Amino acid sequence: MSPPPPVGKAAPPVAAGTTAPFRFGELTIGSMRRGMQIGRYVWGIDCAPPYDDVYWTSGVNMRRGSTFDERFAEVMTAAGFDVVGRPGGPDNPDGNRSRARFTVQGDLRDVQLELCHRTNWLTGSSKGSSGTGSVKVEWTVYDARGDGLVHRVVTTGATAQERGVPQGETLLVEEAFAAAVEALAADAGFRALLSGGTLPSPSAPPSTAFPVTAPAGSGPIPLTPNATPGMAPSAPVAAPAQAAPNRLLLRGGAGSGRIASARIPVGRSHGLVIGETDVAGEAQAVLLAPLPGSDPTVTVRPAQGVELTGWVVGRDAASGFALVRVPARLRALPMRTATPRISEPVKAVVGGRGKEMLGIVGGLPVDEARGGTLIQADLGSADLFTTVTETGDPLLDGSGALIGVAPAAGRSPVTPAGLVQFLAIGPLLDRLGADPAAAVQPPAPSKPGKPHRGNPPDPWWEDEMPDSDLPDAELLDGDIAPPT
């Protein structure tokens, strides 16, 4: 007999709750042709005759009583993935398929067996079969929400059985299939797709992918148009700007948007489009949204009748905010990560109807329990405001750049009565693991004296603040402390 095939290493498990749920469709055998040789019974001192070749018939015997579904769920669950409808799991195998974000389909492409008839030499009774076996499986991953094929990969699995068992050939095929599932669980493209919805390197759309034959004993090969047998796809081209390891590089979005266009429903709340990031060479929008829980995906509705799947790429447990990546280009708000100044004019846009309230910065305390630096704004009608504010309502500076968001319900003990609290956007993004590539610079402090009314560009507050009867020299300026 040939030496036993090498056994692959177990896939490192993923963190629980960080991957999208998926279900196993089925293992098809249509690619196996009737009459093709799949193995042989070999001669040996412990192997009894006949020493015949083994051919593929209809596969009916293998389908009947097979445990492929169970082995797939067993291996994937051990690797940390969320398998919907698995036997013995919390889901109804037939009634909860809607929870699955993806469907994984397997196609058996090749089977190779070396078998040995085991016989009791004393009694002559059969002890079953032993030997080695290997299979090749082509995996296709489909978006369960109608986006079609999103990933394809070929893996191989091998196993050995030293002791004769009844139906040993079926056992070898099932164990080799489990090893191929193990290779799928370790595939970088599959893990990246389940964790973030995209492949780790640039490639053409999945609909143009074609199969590549995996060499014997090799690992999984991503199927992309740039791949050839025995060769991996070319490495991605480095972006001009890069974020720190394990951090999100965030740059300005597709045009400077207004609140009405940048405030988008995310799950059961609303989020703000704050920029975009590159994924597989394509720009995708990034939203900041209050998003409790640990679900790796959320539904985003950028327009009426349009639903997209957003992927959570960062969470801040202290504040309850998350960064959500959406496969679309959306108009984003400009951001200013620098800390504002005391008495600087600000504008809050509150509630679902976008009511605007003008005021100034009244304090900048630090409250780690609430998510870092707070911006305390004096909005005049603070008592009324606290009753209508919603989590995630934006606070803008004089140029219209986002400088803060309203936190979750509950008042910080460091915020005195009459002031309204917001989370500063700069420290919040840092806690979320984002590195803004470019942010709006704070406006230069104006000098005391006559206001620059009428000189372009006029900030929004000069048009909306009432005129004063005081002399010009007595008007309150942005960098002068308010009277006490």
Side-chain angles (χ1 to χ4, degrees):
M1 297 180 64
S2 302
V7 179
K9 296 182 179 180
V14 298
T18 61
T19 58
F22 65 95
R23 71 179 186 89
F24 179 49
E26 62 174 335
L27 177 67
T28 63
I29 58 176
S31 298
M32 301 294 293
R33 303 300 182 188
R34 188 190 302 267
M36 63 186 301
Q37 182 177 347
I38 62 172
R40 60 194 177 99
Y41 281 91
V42 298
W43 178 90
I45 296 178
D46 295 331
C47 299
Y51 308 114
D52 297 331
D53 293 332
V54 180
Y55 298 92
W56 183 263
T57 56
S58 62
V60 174
N61 293 334
M62 191 183 72
R63 286 179 180 272
R64 185 184 299 114
S66 65
T67 61
F68 293 110
D69 292 2
E70 289 80 358
R71 299 313 310 275
F72 180 91
E74 175 186 337
V75 173
M76 285 297 180
T77 303
F81 292 99
D82 183 5
V83 182
V84 175
R86 61 184 176 88
D91 301 319
N92 182 344
D94 296 324
N96 198 25
R97 295 187 176 185
S98 60
R99 191 172 71 86
R101 179 66 178 83
F102 297 98
T103 299
V104 180
Q105 183 94 10
D107 183 15
L108 186 64
R109 287 303 184 100
D110 186 33
V111 176
Q112 293 297 325
L113 301 173
E114 283 196 353
L115 302 171
C116 171
H117 280 298
R118 296 287 183 175
T119 304
N120 189 318
W121 293 105
L122 181 62
T123 64
S125 61
S126 174
K127 298 171 59 177
S129 301
S130 64
T132 61
S134 65
V135 300
K136 181 188 299 181
V137 182
E138 179 179 335
W139 305 98
T140 49
V141 184
Y142 296 92
D143 191 321
R145 299 181 183 177
D147 291 342
L149 176 65
V150 293
H151 187 47
R152 178 181 288 161
V153 66
V154 171
T155 65
T156 58
T159 188
Q161 174 66 33
E162 297 181 358
R163 184 173 56 90
V165 295
Q167 296 183 340
E169 61 280 1
T170 302
L171 172 66
L172 288 173
V173 173
E174 291 180 345
E175 292 298 323
F177 169 77
V181 176
E182 190 81 39
L184 174 65
D187 175 49
F190 180 77
R191 296 168 77 93
L193 177 67
L194 270 293
S195 299
T198 57
L199 297 178
S201 60
S203 63
S207 58
T208 63
F210 60 88
V212 176
T213 301
S218 68
I221 299 180
L223 304 183
T224 63
N226 294 329
T228 57
M231 298 180 61
S234 58
V237 179
Q242 295 182 353
N246 300 323
R247 294 180 68 86
L248 179 72
L249 179 63
L250 186 65
R251 65 172 187 271
S256 177
R258 300 177 62 86
I259 290 293
S261 58
R263 190 171 185 266
I264 293 175
V266 177
R268 297 182 179 180
S269 60
H270 285 76
L272 299 172
V273 184
I274 59 174
E276 60 184 26
T277 188
D278 283 333
V279 178
E282 296 182 357
Q284 297 192 6
V286 177
L287 288 79
L288 176 67
L291 201 63
S294 59
D295 196 333
T297 63
V298 65
T299 300
V300 179
R301 301 176 179 85
Q304 185 175 3
V306 177
E307 289 190 0
L308 301 175
T309 298
W311 292 86
V312 178
V313 293
R315 286 188 182 275
D316 178 31
S319 64
F321 279 84
L323 290 178
V324 179
R325 175 167 51 79
V326 183
R329 301 202 67 184
L330 305 173
R331 296 182 64 84
L333 282 173
M335 283 192 308
R336 172 181 157 190
T337 56
T339 304
R341 303 185 308 274
I342 299 294
S343 79
E344 180 178 335
V346 292
K347 175 172 63 175
V349 183
V350 303
R353 298 182 179 180
K355 180 181 179 181
E356 299 181 356
M357 303 189 74
L358 307 181
I360 61 173
V361 177
L364 297 168
V366 176
D367 185 359
E368 290 297 336
R370 299 277 170 163
T373 304
L374 294 179
I375 301 176
Q376 296 173 342
D378 183 356
L379 300 174
S381 303
D383 293 337
L384 175 63
F385 177 79
T386 55
T387 63
V388 297
T389 183
E390 295 181 4
T391 306
D393 283 344
L395 182 70
L396 311 178
D397 69 356
S399 64
L402 180 68
I403 59 174
V405 289
R411 192 173 186 83
S412 172
V414 301
T415 300
L419 298 180
V420 182
Q421 60 190 17
F422 293 85
L423 296 175
I425 195 70
L428 178 58
L429 289 179
D430 184 64
R431 294 166 68 102
L432 286 167
D435 292 332
V440 176
Q441 297 297 323
S446 57
K447 297 180 179 180
K450 186 176 181 178
H452 305 289
R453 189 179 305 277
N455 293 337
D458 288 338
W460 54 261
W461 69 80
E462 291 199 357
D463 294 331
E464 302 190 34
M465 297 291 259
D467 293 332
S468 174
D469 295 332
L470 296 176
D472 291 339
E474 296 182 28
L475 291 176
L476 181 64
D477 197 77
D479 58 347
I480 301 177
T484 58

